[in-house]
Amino acid sequence: MTVERPFLPEAGRELIGLVREIADGELVPRVAEFEAEGRFPRDLFRLLGRAGLLGLPYPEEFGGGAQPYEVYLQVIEELAARWLAVAEGVSVHTLSCYPVAAYGTETQRKRHLPDMLGGELLGAYCLSEPQSGSDAASLTTRAVAGADGWRVSGTKAWITHAGQADFYNVFCRTGGPGTSGISCLLLDAGTPGLQPQAPERTMGLRSSTVAQIVLDGAPAPADRLVGDEGGGFRIAMSALDGGRLGIAACAVGLAQAALDYAVAYARERHQFGRPILEFQGLGFMLADMATQIAAARSLYLAAARLRDAGLPHGAEAAKAKLFCTDTAMRVTTDAVQVLGGAGYVTDHPVERYMREAKVLQIFEGTNQIQRMVISRSL
């Protein structure tokens, strides 16, 4: 089913039309093969970049699309409905451009953003560590100051695009313990001592490369400090507000794909002499799925409008991430149930949707962390 988006401006409707054309023509034919083989679709990110989709919410003066978040997130949703790993990759890349865009000096913006947003480069965001996940302020990767900058040593974990990215935002300790000792450094992929490890063997999103990054005395020149020294934690938390909205949109797109497939199957599958969609028990299940998706979409769009208006939206982003990803988990699980035994085999994509939905409740802050953010705001 094509999702109606009646409140988009004309330019936004044209953009969504372009995204659907690219997604249906380039993503849909490849997703099953790449997911089954665990292959990273680097060429597709270049294609999306050349179409202007890797810098949508950033200023035109630096090569971005100057699109409001409300439009950008609907692009993410459309991509996720075809191939979640690609949509998640676009969201992560957008997140990875944020530190320089929001906190970089004018010189840094002019030097780095055109390439970051231009479509040829891909970014990564290095915050988590093996022993520092939800407790991000306890990270131990350290940058030691020298005459010409820093030397960075430590291990980053669960890094999307590890080994595939062209640049890495590395959050590391340049000072003492606590949040005030954390800074953000921008490192190129070819930096000596920056060593991507073997990819993790994941439950879902198998075409998305995720791995540890080992830093062994990796040099970072002084001009690669993004923001103030000691201001890295503030950058990281600010970036995650936008990242959580990206994951919320991903979740809605995935849930919509699951619903669409389940409805189509229920129309065609006959038992007791009629389509199973006509049985009330199944029809009510699909009705609940559709309602949850509509509510989730409204929630992430409401948070996006706050962001676009320059209003506080941290708690609303957490609510959207929490509700949308929980919805995706419920809807994809129910989609498997609608298909019955057929939903449990790889002949149909709903088993993949269910596996993929799980991680949406975990990254960009677990849903338990989202509940902490929301409860504190009360």
Side-chain angles (χ1 to χ4, degrees):
M1 181 185 76
T2 300
V3 175
E4 297 295 329
R5 304 187 185 278
F7 301 111
L8 282 174
E10 181 61 30
R13 287 196 294 272
E14 292 176 358
L15 176 61
I16 291 295
L18 172 65
V19 171
R20 287 172 174 166
E21 180 181 345
I22 293 173
D24 290 336
E26 301 292 340
L27 273 60
V28 172
R30 305 189 198 184
V31 55
E33 175 187 352
F34 276 67
E35 282 295 327
E37 297 177 1
R39 289 164 53 197
F40 183 73
R42 186 64 181 89
D43 63 317
L44 286 180
F45 285 98
R46 292 190 180 94
L47 174 66
L48 296 176
R50 291 165 187 159
L53 302 182
L54 292 187
L56 285 175
Y58 294 111
E60 285 182 312
E61 65 178 302
F62 298 117
Q67 293 295 321
Y69 239 70
E70 181 179 358
V71 173
Y72 157 68
L73 292 177
Q74 291 180 80
V75 169
I76 293 293
E77 182 192 332
E78 291 284 346
L79 293 173
R82 278 79 168 180
W83 192 341
L84 179 61
V86 170
E88 182 247 358
V90 174
S91 179
V92 168
H93 175 78
T94 303
L95 172 72
S96 301
C97 297
Y98 177 83
V100 170
Y103 291 90
T105 64
E106 192 65 20
T107 298
Q108 288 174 326
R109 292 190 185 108
K110 289 179 179 178
R111 177 180 175 185
H112 298 297
L113 276 182
D115 289 336
M116 290 177 171
L117 305 178
E120 294 300 317
L121 301 186
L122 195 63
Y125 190 82
C126 304
L127 179 61
S128 295
E129 297 182 5
Q131 304 303 322
S132 168
S134 294
D135 184 12
S138 67
L139 64 83
T140 59
T141 294
R142 177 161 289 280
V144 177
D148 56 350
W150 289 269
R151 294 277 176 173
V152 188
S153 296
T155 301
K156 291 296 180 179
W158 311 113
I159 306 306
T160 300
H161 300 156
Q164 301 287 348
D166 300 289
F167 63 92
Y168 295 81
N169 294 277
V170 178
F171 292 89
C172 51
R173 197 161 295 285
T174 55
T179 60
S180 62
I182 297 171
S183 298
C184 177
L185 297 174
L186 179 65
L187 301 184
D188 293 331
T191 301
L194 190 155
Q195 304 162 1
Q197 303 300 293
E200 304 286 356
R201 294 179 292 179
T202 55
M203 177 180 177
L205 291 179
R206 291 173 179 166
S207 65
S208 176
T209 304
V210 177
Q212 291 188 351
I213 297 288
V214 172
L215 298 143
D216 185 10
D223 63 359
R224 289 305 186 98
L225 173 68
V226 180
D228 297 329
E229 184 174 350
F233 191 77
R234 181 163 60 96
I235 295 174
M237 294 301 102
S238 176
L240 286 177
D241 285 342
R244 286 165 179 166
L245 289 177
I247 298 307
C250 282
V252 172
L254 182 68
Q256 186 69 57
L259 173 64
D260 291 347
Y261 199 92
V263 168
Y265 183 89
R267 286 173 175 158
E268 297 297 325
R269 174 69 171 171
H270 283 67
Q271 290 289 278
F272 305 101
R274 54 179 169 154
I276 62 174
L277 183 58
E278 294 181 6
F279 290 98
Q280 191 177 73
L282 202 69
F284 280 11
M285 180 185 292
L286 293 165
D288 286 344
M289 293 160 69
T291 302
Q292 291 161 14
I293 292 169
R297 181 177 292 116
S298 295
L299 194 57
Y300 88 65
L301 288 174
R305 291 176 190 125
L306 288 174
R307 182 185 179 95
D308 289 335
L311 297 172
H313 62 283
E316 301 310 309
K319 292 173 188 175
K321 197 273 183 183
L322 168 65
F323 187 82
C324 292
T325 58
D326 280 354
T327 292
M329 193 72 252
R330 284 193 301 271
V331 168
T332 55
T333 301
D334 285 347
V336 172
Q337 191 70 22
V338 170
L339 270 68
Y344 198 67
V345 297
T346 58
D347 297 11
H348 301 274
V350 290
E351 61 83 27
R352 171 166 57 84
Y353 297 158
M354 182 178 170
R355 288 187 285 106
E356 291 175 335
K358 186 65 233 177
V359 77
L360 298 174
Q361 296 177 303
I362 298 171
F363 57 21
E364 302 284 10
T366 68
N367 283 9
Q368 286 68 40
I369 290 294
Q370 306 313 313
R371 288 177 170 91
M372 289 176 61
V373 172
I374 297 163
S375 64
R376 287 171 181 167
S377 76
L378 302 179

